[in-house]
Amino acid sequence: MTAAAADAVSVPSGQPVTLAEVLLDEAPGQSGETWARFRFLAPQIARESGTVSYEAAAPDMDHLCGSIALPYLAEHGLTAARVVISLSDRMVPFGAQDPDATQFFEAYRPDGAACMWEAF
């Protein structure tokens, strides 16, 4: 499932972030568990030219889980064992490698109206 690109989303760091796509897939090595992957473009995290570090972007990912991912799942009647929020300075096809791209990822366990951080 792919969502169309959306308008910029407000995040704590103030960087411009837009939803690029939403993917639903089976959890790696966990048959029957669905993971919802919310992939965002965040050009300001770029290594060479960016102004937003991982430390500044981490609260953004927490915010995106609670304010975008959980409402999206509820609106579409979907459940997921994990929500993965990713920020990328450029669009990279899912599963592809791009050594020039900067990407940050965090995983969460949906718990009611909250996102509980899960270590990868």
Side-chain angles (χ1 to χ4, degrees):
M1 171 185 300
T2 301
D7 294 330
V9 177
S10 178
V11 293
S13 72
Q15 70 173 313
V17 173
T18 55
L19 179 61
E21 65 183 348
V22 177
L23 302 173
L24 299 177
D25 62 353
E26 192 170 286
Q30 308 250 339
S31 182
E33 274 196 7
T34 299
W35 283 24
R37 300 174 188 276
F38 289 77
R39 303 181 73 215
F40 293 87
L41 289 175
Q44 290 185 2
I45 67 168
R47 276 187 298 274
E48 300 297 324
S49 60
T51 58
V52 177
S53 66
Y54 172 80
E55 290 74 20
D60 294 349
M61 291 184 278
D62 295 345
H63 175 76
L64 292 167
C65 185
S67 68
I68 300 293
L70 293 183
Y72 180 97
L73 294 174
E75 179 181 335
H76 295 281
L78 302 169
T79 58
R82 294 289 180 276
V83 170
V84 178
I85 302 293
S86 65
L87 300 179
S88 182
D89 70 330
R90 66 194 74 190
M91 196 59 200
V92 177
F94 181 72
Q97 293 185 6
D98 182 343
D100 294 327
T102 300
Q103 298 182 343
F104 301 149
F105 300 87
E106 287 296 352
Y108 303 87
R109 178 178 41 83
D111 185 9
C115 288
M116 306 304 292
W117 178 76
E118 295 277 318
F120 264 110

